[in-house]
Amino acid sequence: MENSSNHYDLVIIGGGINGTAIALEASARGLKTLLCEKGDLASGTSSASTKLIHGGLRYLASYEFSLVQASLRDRNNLAKFAPHLVKPLDFYIPFKQKNSTYWKTKIGLWLYRHIAQTIAQPIAHPIAQPKHPFLNSESNDFLHFQDCYTDDARLVIANAKKAESLGAQIKTYTQLISAQKIQNHWALILQNQLSPTPPETLHTSLVINASGPWVETIHTKLFQCKSNFKLQLIQGSHLLFPKLYEGNHAYLLPTQDNRIIFIIPYLTQFSMIGTTDLALETNIKNNTKFQLTQKEIDYLIQEVNPYLSEKINATQIIHHWSGARALPIRLGDADQKSTANPSKISREVQLEWCETDKNGPYLLSVWGGKLTTHRSLAINAINMLSTKIKLTYASKIYSHYLNSINNQPVDLSNLLSSYDFLPQSLKKRWVFSYGQDCLFFLKNCTQLSDLGKHFGQDLYEAEINYLIHHEWAKSLDDILYRRTKMGFLLTQAEQMRLHAWLKP
Ligand SMILES: Cc1cc2nc3c(=O)[nH]c(=O)nc-3n(C[C@H](O)[C@H](O)[C@H](O)COP(=O)(O)OP(=O)(O)OC[C@H]3O[C@@H](n4cnc5c(N)ncnc54)[C@H](O)[C@@H]3O)c2cc1C
C-alpha cells in the first residue's frame, strides 16, 4: 500500500546528465523527486563523451540552427554558472590549402560566433597563437574558434549533488526492474544491485525515463508504451595517448569520409583522440557494456596519421572508452539513412509522452540529447509536466551555480590562493573537480597531514571519505575513473592498496 515515505511526485530513471539535470530542476520547482540509477552516476554515455560543451559547429552544415542556438545558449550559461567545470578551449582546423572547404568553414565559423554573440556574452579568454610542429608541413592554413570542455562525469555528479541539496533523493546501484499501472499511478519495483535485499516498491503518478541508450527498452517493454520513435545507437570511442604536443589547444581534423575527429588535451599528461561513429544493434540488454573494436582503433589512427609529423600507433594507447549515442528516428523517417551515414542523424532531443489514461499515470521519455543541452532539456521536460501536476516555483535553472554548498559564484582565484600548505597541482585539481564544494573536506585542515592517509599522486583519505559519504562512491572505479581521474595516474600497486583499504 502507498504511504508517504514511498510515494513521490516524480521518479526519474537514469543517473546520466539528463536524469540528474531533470532531478535538479524538478526539486528546485517543488516536486518530491527520486532518481534511480542502475549503476554508478554517469556510468552510461555521460562519462564516455568527448567532454565538449559546444554549439556543435558541424550541425550548421545540416542547417540545424535551432540546435546550435540552444547549445550555444547552454554553453555560455554553463561557462558562467559552473566556471570550475566548464572551461574555454581553443580549437584549430588545419587545411592544406585555401580551397572551397576552407572558405565554407570560415563562413560557418563567422555564423557560429555571430549566433553565440546574439545569445549572451561570448566566452572570452586570450587566444594563444601556438605553432603546430605536431602537424606535418602539409597543413599550411589554420582556422581558429573557441568552445568549452568539461569533465562529463563530474558535471553529472555536480547536478546530482545540487539536486540532493534541493531535496531530491538519489539512489545509485538501484535498477528499475518493473512498472505496473495501478489505477492512476505507477507501482515501480526497484532492485538494489549491490546487496541481495528484497526489491523496494515506490508509487508515483509521474515517471521520466532518462535512461539514454536504454530508453526504448524501458518505454516499450517495461512500461508497455507505444512510441513514434525507434532508437539508432551509434557507438563512439576515444583513445588516450601520452601527451602528443605542447600547449592546451585542441585540433578538429576533417576526415576523408566527411566526419571530424578531435584531438584534445586531457588532464595535463594526455591527449585524447576521438570519436568514431559505429552503428550498433538497437535492442541492447540491461548489462550491455560498449566495447572498443579493432576497426575503430584502425579508423582513428588511419585518419589522424596523415596530419601528423610523427605518426602514432596502437601500442601507444594507454586507455580508451566507448559509449553509445542514443539517436531517435521518427518512425516513417527510418529510411536507413542512419546506418548508411550515422553522422547525418539529427542530435535534436525528443520528449515523448506515453499515451495512458487522461487521468494518468504518466510517463515522459527522453530520446537523445547532448551533454551540452542538459539545462534546456530539464526546463522543457519539467514544463511539460506542468500540464499534469502543479508546480510551485518557476524555473531558475539558468541561475543555479553548480555547487551544493551555497548558490554563490565559485570563487576560483580565492580558492587557489588560499590553503598554502596544499601543493598547487592538488589545489587546481580539487577546484576544477569540486569548485566550492572542496571546502567540505578541507574544513578542519591546516596542514597536509590533516588529509589522512596518502594513496599516491595527490590522492588522500579526506577526499575519498568525502566521495564515499557525500558523492555516492561505492567502488574503486567510481573513485578512480568517474569522480577523480586517478585511475590514469596511480600505479597498479597504489590502486591495489586503495582497493584493500576500501574493503570493509
Ligand atoms: C562518443 C560520444 C561522444 C559525445 N560527445 C559529446 C560532447 O562532446 N558534447 C555533448 O554535448 N554531447 C556529447 N555526446 C552526447 C552525450 O554524451 C549524451 O547525449 C549524454 O551523455 C546522454 O546522457 P543521458 O543522461 O541521456 O544518458 P546516459 O548517460 O547513458 O544515462 C542513462 C542512465 O540510465 C541508466 N539506466 C538504464 N536503465 C536503467 C534502469 N532500468 N534503472 C535505472 N537506471 C537505468 C544507465 O545506467 C545510465 O547511467 C557524446 C556521445 C557519445 C557516445
Side-chain angles (χ1 to χ4, degrees):
M1 264 312 282
E2 283 183 50
N3 64 45
S4 63
S5 68
N6 66 2
H7 187 275
Y8 292 85
D9 294 332
L10 172 66
V11 172
I12 298 164
I13 317 300
I17 192 65
N18 289 331
T20 54
I22 293 169
L24 195 173
E25 174 71 352
S27 43
R29 295 180 74 174
L31 298 182
K32 183 181 173 195
T33 303
L34 178 137
L35 179 149
C36 73
E37 161 55 55
K38 72 183 165 88
D40 185 21
L41 291 170
S43 57
T45 315
S46 298
S47 58
S49 81
T50 312
K51 302 165 202 326
L52 298 180
I53 297 296
H54 64 154
L57 181 61
R58 70 182 154 139
Y59 308 139
L60 285 179
S62 47
Y63 310 110
E64 293 184 85
F65 297 118
S66 62
L67 177 60
V68 175
Q69 193 176 38
S71 306
L72 286 172
R73 180 183 300 116
D74 281 14
R75 179 198 77 178
N76 290 7
N77 175 267
L78 288 165
K80 183 170 172 202
F81 285 90
H84 59 303
L85 272 175
V86 177
K87 293 175 175 297
L89 181 62
D90 287 308
F91 287 82
Y92 292 88
I93 316 175
F95 290 90
K96 289 183 187 161
Q97 62 211 27
K98 287 187 177 161
N99 54 15
S100 60
T101 317
Y102 172 93
W103 291 110
K104 270 190 216 154
T105 313
K106 199 170 166 88
I107 294 167
L109 285 174
W110 174 84
L111 188 60
Y112 195 63
R113 267 181 226 115
H114 180 72
I115 297 174
Q117 277 165 12
T118 55
I119 288 161
Q121 277 298 95
I123 45 162
H125 84 136
I127 300 166
Q129 292 289 352
K131 304 240 175 302
H132 305 282
F134 164 63
L135 301 183
N136 62 31
S137 55
E138 283 183 35
S139 298
N140 292 311
D141 294 294
F142 291 87
L143 289 174
H144 165 264
F145 69 102
Q146 289 183 324
D147 255 318
C148 289
Y149 74 103
T150 190
D151 176 334
D152 47 8
R154 287 230 52 91
L155 194 60
V156 172
I157 290 157
N159 273 280
K161 279 211 58 81
K162 186 83 186 184
E164 187 192 44
S165 75
L166 296 168
Q169 202 179 333
I170 309 289
K171 276 181 177 270
T172 63
Y173 291 97
T174 305
Q175 183 172 336
L176 172 74
I177 53 169
S178 113
Q180 204 191 344
K181 180 173 174 269
I182 302 174
Q183 292 162 354
N184 64 349
H185 74 271
W186 299 110
L188 304 177
I189 301 189
L190 306 186
Q191 176 67 62
N192 187 308
Q193 299 298 297
L194 295 178
S195 65
T197 45
E200 181 186 1
T201 306
L202 303 181
H203 301 270
T204 183
S205 57
L206 282 171
V207 173
I208 293 187
N209 167 17
S211 57
W214 292 268
V215 65
E216 184 170 352
T217 314
I218 290 183
H219 188 92
T220 58
K221 300 223 166 97
L222 271 187
F223 284 88
Q224 302 276 308
C225 294
K226 291 207 175 78
S227 172
N228 292 317
F229 299 97
K230 83 177 190 77
L231 208 58
Q232 176 64 62
L233 290 180
I234 307 289
Q235 174 162 311
S237 295
H238 292 88
L239 310 178
L240 202 62
F241 288 83
K243 196 171 176 64
L244 293 169
Y245 55 92
E246 287 311 310
N248 287 322
H249 53 281
Y251 290 100
L252 185 159
L253 308 178
T255 63
Q256 293 175 41
D257 55 351
N258 289 325
R259 296 188 58 252
I260 49 173
I261 290 179
F262 291 104
I263 308 185
I264 297 178
Y266 189 70
L267 306 179
T268 47
Q269 301 88 333
F270 308 110
S271 301
M272 165 177 109
I273 299 185
T275 172
T276 50
D277 257 1
L278 185 71
L280 298 178
E281 288 292 314
T282 29
N283 258 335
I284 54 164
K285 303 211 167 62
N286 247 331
N287 53 1
T288 298
K289 292 253 179 287
F290 302 101
Q291 305 279 4
L292 176 73
T293 62
Q294 186 61 42
K295 202 171 150 194
E296 290 175 286
I297 299 178
D298 294 344
Y299 171 79
L300 288 173
I301 292 181
Q302 191 182 309
E303 289 290 344
V304 166
N305 265 341
Y307 285 97
L308 307 186
S309 42
E310 262 183 57
K311 310 292 177 216
I312 53 171
N313 63 63
T315 62
Q316 294 166 276
I317 300 169
I318 50 175
H319 202 85
H320 54 84
W321 56 84
S322 305
R325 296 181 182 88
L327 306 179
I329 301 180
R330 192 172 285 279
L331 292 175
D333 280 1
D335 57 359
Q336 302 317 317
K337 63 186 171 195
S338 50
T339 33
N341 189 350
S343 308
K344 291 250 150 59
I345 308 173
S346 170
R347 265 56 174 167
E348 199 96 50
V349 68
Q350 303 288 345
L351 292 167
E352 184 182 44
W353 286 113
C354 168
E355 298 301 332
T356 56
D357 285 339
K358 202 163 127 270
N359 298 324
Y362 308 104
L363 169 77
L364 185 67
S365 288
V366 178
W367 296 74
K370 289 175 65 186
L371 189 69
T372 306
T373 46
H374 60 275
R375 287 197 155 187
S376 45
L377 167 75
I379 296 180
N380 292 341
I382 300 301
N383 281 349
M384 281 177 75
L385 300 191
S386 66
T387 54
K388 318 285 183 202
I389 193 171
K390 189 173 168 341
L391 296 167
T392 315
Y393 307 108
S395 176
K396 286 198 281 255
I397 199 167
Y398 278 125
S399 52
H400 280 303
Y401 288 97
L402 263 193
N403 53 59
S404 59
I405 212 164
N406 53 32
N407 199 33
Q408 299 294 318
V410 179
D411 188 349
L412 297 182
S413 53
N414 191 23
L415 282 170
L416 283 169
S417 59
S418 325
Y419 298 96
D420 287 339
F421 64 92
L422 294 175
Q424 200 62 20
S425 61
L426 173 61
K427 266 200 277 190
K428 273 199 178 153
R429 180 171 75 77
W430 280 358
V431 169
F432 179 50
S433 302
Y434 306 102
Q436 221 108 308
D437 287 353
C438 63
L439 297 176
F440 269 120
F441 51 89
L442 273 169
K443 206 162 34 198
N444 298 318
C445 297
T446 53
Q447 53 194 353
L448 207 52
S449 59
D450 291 338
L451 297 177
K453 195 172 168 62
H454 180 221
F455 292 97
Q457 294 287 332
D458 58 19
L459 191 62
Y460 290 87
E461 187 178 344
E463 183 180 3
I464 294 169
N465 280 332
Y466 169 78
L467 299 178
I468 294 169
H469 298 296
H470 298 277
E471 285 200 355
W472 307 276
K474 300 273 196 293
S475 75
L476 195 63
D477 267 20
D478 299 354
I479 293 172
L480 292 182
Y481 291 102
R482 282 179 288 278
R483 282 155 191 78
T484 73
K485 302 296 170 270
M486 284 292 138
F488 302 117
L489 303 173
L490 292 184
T491 63
Q492 203 60 32
E494 288 167 336
Q495 296 192 20
M496 292 326 293
R497 218 152 55 91
L498 173 59
H499 190 229
W501 183 84
L502 287 173
K503 276 190 180 162

